[in-house]
Amino acid sequence: MSLLADLFAGRLLDPGYAEAAARRAAAGTPARPSRLRGTGVLAVLVLAGILVAAAGAEVRRSEPVAAEQRSRLIGEIRTRTTESDALERRVQDLRADTERLRAAALARSNEGEQARRELAAEAAAVAAAPAAGPGLVVTLDDAPREPGDDARAGARADEGRVYDQDLQVLVNGLWAAGATAIAINGLRLTPTTAVRTAGEAILVDYRPLTSPYTVTALGDPDRLADAFSGSAADRRLGALKDRFGMRYDRRRTGEARLPAAGSPRLRHARPARTAPPPDGPPAQQGRRR
Amino acid sequence: MIALIGLVVGVVLGLLLEPTVPLWLQPYLPIAIVAALDAMFGGVRARLEGVFDEKVFVVSFLSNTIIAALIVFLGDQLGVGSQLSTGVVVVLGIRIFSNAAAIRRKLFGA
């Protein structure tokens, strides 16, 4: 009864015809074995033809629809990207205006001047302002792939790649060596920026980077280089370079410009001066991040 | 001969009329066609073996297509639609191939 057993035994898989023939023979009806006649067969075959043609037409019809939807989506992505770029520019303009107005307003009093200086120091610390100056440029890149590499096991092909951990170690080493500001491929790092991997890409501040990875650290180049040479990060990256052929080199630069990171989000604020409640403690100073 | 003419007429009719398949029926059309192919190969084989019977052919064609579509429909309702349609295609494919082999033996003796 089982399909495979029937198949291997070479038996008829559809016993209906044999049974009908046997029935006819038993009843003595004259069999018309090899004549395909009658409207039933014709109707069924016309139906089968229509089915096949309809299915084929359906497939053909859905192809251009899919292509059209794809190109429409691509167009929409482009439009939205342009829009968001324009909005980004507007935000930057408005932010510059705000900065200017704030500076002007704060410049009117001694207290304001003091607040402005504090603000400038904090802005530098959280990378909210562009920075420029001499520094050190470290370049990391995946090991060059040999032509036959793709055929090899994926694990081996992955060995020479730069991982998020390598960048993290490098950045931490540079901070430890006294860098005042760091950017990776032109993306400024803030104290809360995450360097991590998603799939094959390394994300900095949730934006994907492509190799080579250029890490620019501001600070006195000689002091930075002295403090960084021989540090744990330097040793680790040097070992990776020797072992897997990853690119790792350092050079000094006289003048590097780092952009500001995205504006810090205000997460918590209170009015700086409120009338203290009669018996309660004085209102807290506004906290800013 | 009449069978071939019927098939050609059907294809031409389908291409000319371009019947729009309702959306709810679209997933079941391919599987119904595979079942129809199975019935047609069975019919050809029966004819070559000299046991063709019109009633058996018509009934097997209609029941094959409807049952195949129903099985897949049921699978969709149960959430195993793609697995069940794979199963149906495998079973029908085995039958089609064994029928085609029998036809080949009859026609070419090899």
Side-chain angles (χ1 to χ4, degrees):
Chain A
M1 196 56 226
S2 101
L3 179 72
L4 287 179
D6 278 359
L7 188 68
F8 288 129
R11 252 180 291 168
L12 266 181
L13 284 167
D14 204 350
Y17 290 109
E19 264 171 31
R23 230 185 6 254
R24 265 199 314 261
T29 338
R32 288 202 186 89
S34 63
R35 203 96 48 82
L36 285 175
R37 54 182 224 101
T39 48
V41 174
L42 187 64
V44 159
L45 284 165
V46 168
L47 186 63
I50 291 180
L51 267 183
V52 171
E58 203 63 42
V59 169
R60 266 209 319 277
R61 210 176 301 155
S62 61
E63 268 171 11
V65 171
E68 189 190 327
Q69 277 174 348
R70 208 174 96 85
S71 70
R72 211 178 54 227
L73 277 178
I74 291 176
E76 191 163 328
I77 288 171
R78 294 226 171 98
T79 325
R80 301 281 160 148
T81 313
T82 323
E83 275 174 26
S84 86
D85 283 351
L87 287 174
E88 179 78 23
R89 270 197 301 279
R90 194 166 136 69
V91 164
Q92 274 172 7
D93 288 350
L94 289 176
R95 201 174 285 151
D97 280 357
T98 317
E99 292 281 338
R100 225 180 18 254
L101 290 175
R102 185 166 62 195
L106 288 176
R108 280 187 212 137
S109 63
N110 278 340
E111 215 179 20
E113 192 61 30
Q114 167 79 12
R116 195 179 65 78
R117 270 198 300 277
E118 278 175 17
L119 201 57
E122 298 211 349
V126 300
L136 202 62
V137 178
V138 184
T139 309
L140 285 185
D141 197 358
D142 302 342
R145 289 218 175 177
E146 287 146 33
D149 266 6
D150 286 339
R152 286 195 287 168
R156 278 196 63 83
D158 265 5
E159 270 179 352
R161 281 191 38 225
V162 176
Y163 290 145
D164 54 344
Q165 293 161 16
D166 308 331
L167 274 179
Q168 285 165 9
V169 164
L170 172 60
V171 167
N172 286 339
L174 286 169
W175 285 129
T180 54
I182 296 183
I184 303 181
N185 283 13
L187 278 176
R188 182 82 176 272
L189 299 189
T190 72
T192 55
T193 303
V195 178
R196 42 182 290 269
T197 301
E200 294 224 326
I202 294 184
L203 304 186
V204 169
D205 208 10
Y206 302 104
R207 267 172 286 189
L209 299 185
T210 51
S211 61
Y213 307 98
T214 310
V215 182
T216 312
L218 295 193
D220 179 14
D222 293 326
R223 281 232 309 276
L224 263 183
D226 284 350
F228 187 70
S229 306
S231 68
D234 184 36
R235 284 201 306 275
R236 173 178 166 149
L237 293 171
L240 288 176
K241 179 184 182 180
D242 291 342
R243 179 130 181 246
F244 300 116
M246 255 168 55
R247 180 171 160 213
Y248 164 53
D249 48 39
R250 286 195 315 235
R251 65 185 167 79
R252 285 151 212 229
T253 173
E255 176 68 27
R257 291 182 168 278
L258 304 187
S263 65
R265 219 174 313 155
L266 196 61
R267 296 202 188 158
H268 182 88
R270 287 185 194 193
R273 270 187 225 106
T274 44
D279 293 326
Q284 267 188 320
Q285 281 292 108
R287 254 198 302 151
R288 215 187 283 271
R289 254 206 90 245
Chain B
M1 202 57 210
I2 191 170
L4 209 59
I5 292 173
L7 203 56
V8 170
V9 166
V11 171
V12 170
L13 268 184
L15 288 180
L16 286 184
L17 296 179
E18 289 214 351
T20 39
V21 184
L23 207 60
W24 56 270
L25 204 61
Q26 272 181 13
Y28 312 117
L29 191 61
I31 214 84
I33 287 177
V34 174
L37 272 182
D38 173 54
M40 283 183 347
F41 274 95
V44 173
R45 175 185 179 174
R47 192 202 163 193
L48 290 173
E49 288 179 349
V51 291
F52 185 79
D53 187 279
E54 180 178 346
K55 188 181 143 207
V56 174
F57 177 67
V58 173
V59 170
S60 77
F61 181 92
L62 293 180
S63 68
N64 259 7
T65 48
I66 291 171
I67 288 175
L70 269 184
I71 286 177
V72 176
F73 170 76
L74 192 65
D76 272 348
Q77 302 307 307
L78 295 174
V80 289
S82 61
Q83 289 93 328
L84 257 185
S85 57
T86 307
V88 169
V89 167
V90 167
V91 170
L92 292 179
I94 290 178
R95 285 174 50 121
I96 289 174
F97 265 94
S98 75
N99 279 336
I103 291 168
R104 190 198 63 213
R105 276 198 297 275
K106 286 280 172 202
L107 279 183
F108 306 111

